Amino acid sequence: MGDVLSTHLDDARRQHIAEKTGKILTEFLHFYEDQYGVALFNSMRHEIEGTGLPQAQLLWRKVPLDERIIFSGNLFQYQEDNKKWRNRFSLVPHNYGLILYENKVAYERQVPPRAVINSAGYKILTSVDQYLELVGNSLPGTTSKSSSAPILKCPTQFPLILWHPFARHYYFCMMTEAEQDKWQAVLQDCIRHCNNGIPENSKVEGPAFTDAIRMYRQSKELYGTWEMLCGNEVQILSNLVMEELGPELKAELAPRLKGKPQERQRQWIQISDAVYRMVYEQAKAHFEAVLSKLQQARPAMEAVIRTDMDQIITSKEHLASKIRAFILPKAEVCVRNHVQPYIPSILEALMVPTSQGFTEVRDVFFKEVTDMNLNVINEGGIDKLGEYMEKLSQLAYHPLKMQSCYEKMEPLRLDGLQQRFDVSSTSVFKQRAQIHMREQMDNAVYTFETLLHQELGKGPTKEELCKSIQRILERVLKKYDYDSSSVRKRFFREALLQITIPFLLKKLAPTCKSELPRFQELIFEDFARFILVENTYEEVVLQTVMKDILQAVKEAAVQRKHNLYRDSMVMHNSDPNLHLLAEGTPIDWGEQYSGGGGGSGDSGSPSPSVPEAATISEKRRRAKQVVSVVQDEEAGLPFEAGTEPLSPASLDSVTELRGLLAQDLRAESPPLAGLLNGAPVQESPQSVAIPEASSPPASPLRQFPLPGKDLEPPKPNDQETGEQVSSPGGRPPIHTTTEDSAGVQTEF
């Protein structure tokens, strides 16, 4: 690898890449600085005026579920340096970063992990053929012949490959199809979470960034949705640079790569990953510098906005009226001829899978609570309630139980409409709807927890408790139906805007965009940081189509399509004291109702004393695990690349391996059927305390808003893009290092 990089990425080419990257970043960050002032003004105006949205009936979890491991177990990873498959102990903590350890013993001894993978921007592939096709398409002229050796061989029929258009790829395989399905669900959850990397509570920086991305791409005549708007700001910015830099680099370097097709493919993957890392570090430095400058200027900007809010609003409305008079005739014709006829079909395509998914969320929640109630009656009674509720509290984060909900979005298609409206992929809508599903499930669970905890204060008997659980379930389902309708209607409106507005802007650009600079003189110089002609123009265009979108969604609700409620259907103060209950201390079901031992205190010392170390060990032992797959760590694959097949005297068949795995599973965990059917979640000997802010319900699609965390496994840093490999000794720093084949430590 070192020879490949030194040959094709010499000092001169690295300097050229840095200069090109710097030019792109400078241009983008100019857009970002412009959008920051607009976003700040919009945020402060929103605080004063509000939105008039209906109040959510369900509560939302203000304190996140800490010390949870979403998933853990063993899987085989392909090592590119020695071309061998190795068994790795892997876990997914609450922040959804995949952490790979040498083995489970290394984890328990707190040995630094081999890798921490942030999966933003990745896709999961379940066959080697899919992967080879993507790799072949990424470098024209290198498609392997059927007789040549492929770039990757998998020793089982159940691979999982993490593919990224720019960064390095990760190769895993499992022994059975069931394991592959489980890991696929877990890794898809990781990708879904990491793709949503811009914090929902970022009311200024987040909207400013996504608007700047859109404005920059539109300046390059790139309209429509963008698949690589995923991850945190630096990851997205790196993708933006690579989108422009990658084709140029490929055209320059592809003819110079030597060797067979698969070797040239491997070289290109290494080069692309190295360039991506270079771009990432440069983007990180530039973005942080500009963000720091803007945050320092923010107090002065806020003071101006507070003083002159009315004048700024008046000035913006005057500008909007002038732009509206200019573009309205053209925009209305465009909407009437090219957009309005297609809104019902787009809406129906969105409504069917989305509503099916939310219905499945309701059904899963109902089944889990009903099963728990039956268990209270038939088995444990109140004594087991804490155990049951501990499990139920994690339902929204159970990848396997939520999978049936998420799968409902997979059939989403905009047949015949994607090309018309330049929608490159429906994945952005699928993932957004799936995130809403998880939020609504957690809100329903948390509301149920809160009401049940209040009921337990009355000291009910087992029979009274069961009746109370049923009554509370019915109350929560009514609230869920109302909130589900509100969330879906908002999602449909935002998705329709995200599909139609770029199309309208592209249609109107030839006749309208060149005329916009003349409206700049209507903005007072003192307000120029808070009012932009381009943004006001987009708002006017949005208003021309918004009436049709609102009418289409309203008609669907009036007809009660897919259980949508009419806007006039409002639940006023159905539970006036409910939101007061959510202000109390978070409920620890395991501590309060399971007769468990006392909690362990936090240790802030990097070098704990013996008693503190015992406390940390106890915390790791008591960490709750949502779901796990446990494999025999000593088991090998049927064969490993570069080695002879196992001899008959050793584990020479998948059947024998499965037998050992089954024994290990029986010894260390409840049976799989128990996990799937709601058996108590096992305690795990590991602990992860990864605080993460829970986002409130109602999070808009970011491209077009409506107008107007003690010792723990290391987290994937928000500022990282791929793999972190730890330096030996102690916990890994935020920026760790990778080592190439030449042994050179490279900061990443």
Side-chain angles (χ1 to χ4, degrees):
M1 178 177 173
D3 292 340
V4 171
L5 298 183
S6 61
T7 300
H8 298 288
L9 294 178
D10 55 20
D11 291 342
R13 185 162 285 110
R14 287 175 182 266
Q15 180 64 28
H16 171 73
I17 291 171
E19 291 174 356
K20 179 76 174 179
T21 301
K23 180 180 178 182
I24 296 172
L25 292 174
T26 300
E27 187 176 354
F28 165 79
L29 291 171
H30 176 70
F31 282 94
Y32 182 62
E33 291 186 64
D34 288 345
Q35 294 300 322
Y36 191 90
V38 175
L40 181 61
F41 167 73
N42 290 339
S43 174
M44 296 180 67
R45 183 179 181 182
H46 168 78
E47 290 178 6
I48 296 172
E49 298 179 351
T51 61
L53 293 174
Q55 181 179 3
Q57 294 297 309
L58 295 171
L59 304 177
W60 56 277
R61 202 182 300 274
K62 296 180 176 62
V63 179
L65 291 172
D66 296 341
E67 298 184 17
R68 292 299 186 274
I69 296 170
I70 301 299
F71 199 82
S72 76
N74 284 73
L75 77 172
F76 295 95
Q77 183 191 17
Y78 181 68
Q79 303 295 301
E80 297 177 76
D81 52 353
N82 58 18
K83 296 181 173 58
K84 292 187 178 183
W85 292 85
R86 289 290 178 261
N87 200 350
R88 299 290 181 224
F89 177 72
S90 313
L91 66 87
V92 178
H94 195 252
N95 66 356
Y96 290 89
L98 178 62
I99 305 177
L100 302 176
Y101 289 89
E102 187 74 35
N103 48 48
K104 193 170 184 180
V105 173
Y107 167 74
E108 291 171 343
R109 293 178 178 175
Q110 303 182 34
V111 176
R114 291 187 61 87
V116 179
I117 302 173
N118 185 317
S119 54
Y122 279 85
K123 291 182 179 179
I124 298 177
L125 307 177
T126 56
S127 79
V128 175
D129 289 342
Q130 284 179 295
Y131 176 69
L132 296 179
E133 182 179 357
L134 278 174
V135 170
N137 293 338
S138 68
L139 197 61
T142 62
T143 303
S144 301
K145 298 179 181 179
S146 57
S147 59
S148 62
I151 189 175
L152 175 70
K153 288 183 179 180
C154 184
T156 75
Q157 300 177 22
F158 312 107
L160 280 182
I161 300 170
L162 291 179
W163 177 87
H164 194 284
F166 311 125
R168 65 165 294 182
H169 306 156
Y170 296 93
Y171 315 99
F172 306 103
C173 74
M174 292 80 204
M175 295 296 297
T176 67
E177 185 176 4
E179 289 176 15
Q180 183 191 44
D181 291 343
K182 281 181 274 188
W183 274 108
Q184 183 181 3
V186 171
L187 293 180
Q188 193 62 61
D189 232 14
C190 293
I191 292 172
R192 188 181 300 113
H193 183 91
C194 293
N195 279 352
N196 194 39
I198 299 178
E200 299 284 358
N201 57 1
S202 174
K203 303 301 182 186
V204 177
E205 289 81 0
F209 184 84
T210 51
D211 286 347
I213 288 285
R214 189 180 72 254
M215 293 295 187
Y216 175 85
R217 297 187 80 246
Q218 287 175 184
S219 72
K220 307 294 182 183
E221 298 187 356
L222 296 172
Y223 294 82
T225 59
W226 184 41
E227 270 194 285
M228 295 309 293
L229 187 68
C230 46
N232 58 53
E233 292 90 342
V234 179
Q235 288 173 310
I236 295 170
L237 195 47
S238 302
N239 295 337
L240 187 73
V241 173
M242 289 297 293
E243 182 183 43
E244 190 169 337
L245 182 62
E248 174 189 317
L249 199 63
K250 188 184 298 182
E252 184 180 354
L253 294 182
R256 305 184 184 185
L257 301 179
K258 307 296 182 184
K260 296 179 180 179
Q262 66 270 19
E263 184 57 33
R264 288 155 59 199
Q265 290 170 351
R266 188 176 290 110
Q267 291 174 15
W268 173 247
I269 293 170
Q270 294 171 355
I271 292 170
S272 179
D273 177 61
V275 173
Y276 189 63
R277 291 167 182 264
M278 291 167 53
V279 168
Y280 178 88
E281 292 300 329
Q282 193 171 348
K284 177 176 178 293
H286 279 64
F287 179 73
E288 289 181 349
V290 170
L291 183 59
S292 176
K293 183 180 75 171
L294 290 171
Q295 289 174 339
Q296 290 176 6
R298 179 169 175 168
M301 295 167 68
E302 289 178 342
V304 173
I305 293 172
R306 287 193 188 96
T307 303
D308 300 327
M309 174 70 79
D310 291 341
Q311 293 92 322
I312 297 173
I313 292 174
T314 301
S315 178
K316 182 178 179 180
E317 289 175 348
H318 177 66
L319 172 65
S321 66
K322 296 296 184 181
I323 294 177
R324 188 178 298 110
F326 168 65
I327 72 159
L328 195 59
K330 303 174 185 177
E332 286 182 338
V333 170
C334 191
V335 169
R336 185 168 58 250
N337 294 338
H338 301 289
V339 175
Q340 196 178 63
Y342 301 98
I343 288 178
S345 55
I346 298 174
L347 179 58
E348 186 66 22
L350 290 167
M351 281 198 301
V352 173
T354 305
S355 298
Q356 288 175 350
F358 277 84
T359 299
E360 183 70 12
V361 170
R362 188 188 198 278
D363 292 344
V364 170
F365 173 67
F366 176 83
K367 177 184 180 299
E368 291 295 320
V369 175
T370 302
D371 287 349
M372 182 195 73
N373 205 0
L374 290 173
N375 287 336
V376 170
I377 296 172
N378 299 325
E379 297 180 11
I382 297 179
D383 293 339
K384 284 283 189 179
L385 184 63
E387 185 179 333
Y388 299 147
M389 287 302 300
E390 186 76 31
K391 176 186 60 181
L392 184 67
S393 69
Q394 304 170 95
L395 179 58
Y397 304 96
H398 195 300
L400 305 184
K401 290 181 179 178
M402 291 296 295
Q403 184 64 13
S404 63
C405 309
Y406 299 148
E407 286 175 347
K408 299 296 183 183
M409 287 302 299
E410 293 308 317
L412 175 61
R413 299 287 185 274
L414 298 175
D415 295 329
L417 299 173
Q418 283 187 235
Q419 292 74 23
R420 167 176 287 276
F421 291 99
D422 195 21
V423 178
S424 61
S425 171
T426 58
S427 62
V428 62
F429 307 114
K430 292 177 183 178
Q431 291 196 15
R432 193 70 221 166
Q434 290 164 344
I435 289 169
H436 283 313
M437 290 176 198
R438 185 175 65 196
E439 289 174 349
Q440 289 302 297
M441 174 67 89
D442 196 43
N443 293 346
V445 168
Y446 181 59
T447 305
F448 180 85
E449 287 185 69
T450 304
L451 291 172
L452 180 59
H453 188 257
Q454 181 191 40
E455 191 70 23
L456 289 171
K458 302 175 183 178
T461 64
K462 183 167 76 171
E463 291 72 18
E464 292 171 339
L465 176 62
C466 293
K467 292 179 181 178
S468 297
I469 289 175
Q470 185 62 30
R471 186 174 65 254
I472 292 170
L473 173 60
E474 292 171 359
R475 287 175 64 189
V476 173
L477 287 176
K478 289 180 181 178
K479 296 175 184 297
Y480 173 83
D481 289 340
Y482 180 82
D483 281 8
S484 165
S485 174
S486 300
V487 168
R488 282 180 290 142
K489 286 191 294 185
R490 186 166 57 252
F491 168 70
F492 297 147
R493 292 193 293 264
E494 291 164 350
L496 283 166
L497 287 173
Q498 194 170 344
I499 291 169
T500 58
I501 294 299
F503 173 80
L504 285 172
L505 293 174
K506 186 176 182 179
K507 279 281 186 182
L508 294 171
T511 56
C512 296
K513 201 163 185 178
S514 60
E515 299 294 322
L516 293 181
R518 67 184 177 90
F519 292 99
Q520 185 65 38
E521 64 186 26
L522 299 176
I523 303 174
F524 292 120
E525 185 177 353
D526 292 345
F527 304 154
R529 296 201 67 176
F530 315 118
I531 306 173
L532 296 180
V533 171
E534 189 79 16
N535 289 64
T536 308
Y537 163 70
E538 286 195 358
E539 289 182 16
V540 171
V541 173
L542 182 149
Q543 290 163 4
T544 62
V545 73
M546 193 65 189
K547 180 178 66 175
D548 295 305
I549 289 175
L550 291 174
Q551 183 62 30
V553 176
K554 180 180 179 180
E555 288 177 0
V558 168
Q559 298 170 19
R560 293 303 303 272
K561 283 187 176 181
H562 308 291
N563 200 32
L564 290 176
Y565 289 174
R566 300 189 303 274
D567 291 339
S568 58
M569 182 78 172
V570 180
M571 297 175 67
H572 290 297
N573 297 323
S574 58
D575 278 305
N577 298 321
L578 180 60
H579 287 268
L580 297 179
L581 296 177
E583 302 300 327
T585 305
I587 306 164
D588 189 334
W589 293 101
E591 291 293 328
Q592 294 184 34
Y593 296 98
S594 287
S600 56
D602 291 340
S603 172
S605 171
S607 301
S609 63
V610 173
E612 290 172 328
T615 300
I616 293 165
S617 176
E618 178 68 9
K619 284 184 68 177
R620 294 174 71 84
R621 186 190 67 77
R622 290 173 53 82
K624 299 302 187 300
Q625 192 156 295
V626 178
V627 62
S628 68
V629 171
V630 181
Q631 284 187 353
D632 184 352
E633 296 181 12
E634 300 302 321
L637 288 167
F639 68 87
E640 294 183 356
T643 64
E644 294 295 324
L646 295 169
S647 65
S650 61
L651 299 177
D652 60 353
S653 70
V654 174
T655 304
E656 292 182 51
L657 281 174
R658 287 175 179 163
L660 283 182
L661 292 174
Q663 294 173 16
D664 189 56
L665 203 63
R666 285 193 294 269
E668 297 195 27
S669 67
L672 175 61
L675 286 172
L676 295 178
N677 295 327
V681 179
Q682 74 177 69
E683 289 195 356
S684 169
Q686 54 262 33
S687 169
V688 181
I690 300 186
E692 179 179 332
S694 175
S695 58
S699 51
L701 290 173
R702 292 192 172 274
Q703 291 220 8
F704 281 99
L706 295 174
K709 265 174 180 188
D710 328 293
L711 280 177
E712 57 186 22
K715 316 171 195 179
N717 179 12
D718 285 343
Q719 310 295 335
E720 57 119 0
T721 55
E723 179 180 11
Q724 287 186 334
V725 179
S726 305
S727 54
R731 288 288 167 185
I734 292 177
H735 296 288
T736 55
T737 59
T738 62
E739 182 172 328
D740 59 27
S741 59
V744 179
Q745 295 288 330
T746 307
E747 179 74 14
F748 175 52

